[in-house]
Amino acid sequence: MASVTLSNIKKSYGSLGVIHGVSLSIEDGEFIALVGPSGCGKSTLLRMIAGLEEITDGDVSIGGKVVNELTPRERNIAMVFQSYALYPHMTVAENMGFNLRLSGEPKPVIAQRVAEAARMLDLTDLLDRKPAQLSGGQRQRVAMGRAIVRNPAVFLFDEPLSNLDAKLRVQMRSEIKTLHQKVKTTSIYVTHDQIEAMTLADRVVVLNQGRVEQQGTPIELYRKPANLFVAAFIGSPAMNILDGTVEADGGEPAARLGDGTAVRISTDRKVKPGQRIKIGLRPEHLNPGAGGAALAGQTLLVEPTGAQTHVVFDLAGQAVTAVVDGEYPARYGARFQASIAAEQVHVFDRESGIAL
């Protein structure tokens, strides 16, 4: 195992800059997720750590050693890709042990490591099968096993679950987390799926256009997003964002929306009367029939999901989503009314997008 440090990493293709001075410190044994929309630079950053992309400027250190000039093999990393990249003519055991065989490891050592990884990933009964005889989830486990047997200092995952269906993604997500808890190897995981990032990682790094917007534990990013980008990206369904103007409502600060609705905001927010702001309301914090100032409008859509009901209603001319536990008797066109506690209202500067 080893720590990983990125020091002011930059990447340019000619005059086009794609990574703009990213610095990160990843502790030995930590699981980090790099998350962001397509084109934000997360896979490029991972490939630079792996040695598959040349670094324009800055340093990558693994275990305290700068590795900029080292080949991927010399960096002692193992990478799991979106594509399984298994050899179709080889058995599961042969696929898992192939890199060790290339490295000249003795056959007994290869057999032992393959057997250990197979037990860890529940592949023991599949070692004699070919990839064509496996399901998608089993193939991905074989790809992970191929990485495990190398006993690397760092695991790099590049959207490894994107090719799986929804049920298998959930299953494999659990298996990856269980695997990390067993082997405790430093892991860097790239995904565009914020649910994957939040459920898997010790720490989440949100990237946007080649820059780090915010990093922290999943709960820190959820509760205290640093800006509008992070607020809108973290959370499912996404946070509702509305324009408002600060005013005093009974001596307490409030955001006055376009339809005249006043939404109380916490007194510890750094706002002043007349200030133009944006407020963020998480759908799960909107409570129908609860106390507090009412947010009301015509119901536009009702989506029962079983354990919850998603209700979309019109508020100040904008579609706002509320998540209600269990079944809820909302219907299209009816009036929907909810409230939210002042301390759960997120406040952002309208111009800069910075949290206030």
Side-chain angles (χ1 to χ4, degrees):
M1 295 189 291
S3 61
V4 178
T5 303
L6 310 185
S7 303
N8 198 30
I9 295 295
K10 296 180 182 178
K11 178 64 180 179
S12 300
Y13 297 99
S15 60
L16 177 64
V18 294
I19 302 292
H20 308 281
V22 170
S23 295
L24 288 173
S25 293
I26 303 168
E27 296 178 6
D28 186 5
E30 191 175 15
F31 196 122
I32 291 290
L34 305 179
V35 66
S38 297
C40 72
K42 55 189 183 294
S43 288
T44 300
L45 195 61
L46 193 77
R47 290 173 63 83
M48 287 194 287
I49 296 170
L52 301 175
E53 285 279 358
E54 185 177 341
I55 299 169
T56 303
D57 195 16
D59 292 321
V60 172
S61 300
I62 298 177
K65 178 182 178 181
V66 176
V67 298
N68 292 28
E69 305 303 323
L70 300 184
T71 66
R73 180 179 293 274
E74 294 170 325
R75 297 185 187 201
N76 192 21
I77 54 94
M79 201 160 184
V80 181
F81 297 93
Q82 178 179 345
S83 164
Y84 316 128
L86 301 179
Y87 296 106
H89 63 287
M90 293 184 182
T91 65
V92 168
E94 290 168 341
N95 267 286
M96 290 172 64
F98 184 68
N99 288 328
L100 295 180
R101 185 156 62 87
L102 287 181
S103 301
E105 293 286 351
K107 287 185 178 180
V109 173
I110 296 175
Q112 179 185 1
R113 290 196 191 174
V114 168
E116 288 174 355
R119 282 195 298 271
M120 197 177 297
L121 295 167
D122 196 22
L123 292 171
T124 302
D125 293 338
L126 307 177
L127 289 175
D128 294 328
R129 294 191 187 182
K130 300 286 181 66
Q133 298 171 294
L134 305 176
S135 67
Q138 289 168 338
R139 292 178 193 177
Q140 192 57 274
R141 290 210 301 271
V142 175
M144 289 167 58
R146 182 177 53 196
I148 291 169
V149 297
R150 294 179 54 195
N151 194 25
V154 181
F155 280 130
L156 304 179
F157 297 90
D158 191 5
E159 304 206 41
L161 308 185
S162 295
N163 285 342
L164 304 179
D165 61 37
K167 184 178 180 180
L168 270 178
R169 279 202 303 272
V170 173
Q171 178 186 336
M172 286 301 301
R173 201 167 69 204
S174 299
E175 292 183 4
I176 290 174
K177 187 157 190 172
T178 300
L179 171 66
H180 180 257
Q181 290 169 345
K182 289 179 180 178
V183 300
K184 298 294 184 183
T185 301
T186 307
S187 301
I188 305 173
Y189 189 101
V190 160
T191 180
H192 64 276
D193 186 334
Q194 52 99 7
I195 297 297
E196 271 183 28
M198 294 185 72
T199 54
L200 281 171
D202 302 317
R203 186 155 47 101
V204 177
V205 180
V206 181
L207 292 170
N208 182 31
Q209 297 182 349
R211 294 181 174 86
V212 175
E213 293 283 351
Q214 187 177 357
Q215 58 176 300
T217 65
I219 199 66
E220 285 172 348
L221 268 59
Y222 176 82
R223 289 180 175 173
K224 296 182 178 180
N227 53 44
L228 274 170
F229 180 84
V230 177
F233 195 83
I234 298 296
S236 181
M239 181 185 286
N240 302 293
I241 306 295
L242 300 164
D243 289 334
T245 303
V246 178
E247 63 178 43
D249 183 26
E252 296 183 4
R256 183 70 66 179
L257 306 183
D259 67 346
T261 299
V263 180
R264 294 280 180 87
I265 57 181
S266 178
T267 55
D268 62 0
R269 303 295 183 183
K270 298 177 181 178
V271 296
K272 55 187 178 181
Q275 184 176 356
R276 291 169 12 117
I277 59 172
K278 287 184 179 287
I279 61 169
L281 312 175
R282 290 215 179 272
E284 55 272 28
H285 292 160
L286 290 168
N287 303 307
L295 312 175
Q298 181 185 18
T299 299
L300 305 175
L301 181 66
V302 181
E303 296 179 314
T305 66
Q308 298 174 326
T309 302
H310 296 186
V311 180
V312 182
F313 66 103
D314 178 83
L315 179 63
Q318 185 171 330
V320 169
T321 301
V323 173
V324 184
D325 287 336
E327 298 180 16
Y328 189 80
R331 66 181 188 278
Y332 174 77
R335 181 178 173 82
F336 180 81
Q337 183 169 303
S339 65
I340 186 169
E343 61 270 16
Q344 292 178 324
V345 177
H346 297 263
V347 182
F348 307 91
D349 181 76
R350 197 183 298 189
E351 301 303 322
S352 68
I354 301 298
L356 300 173

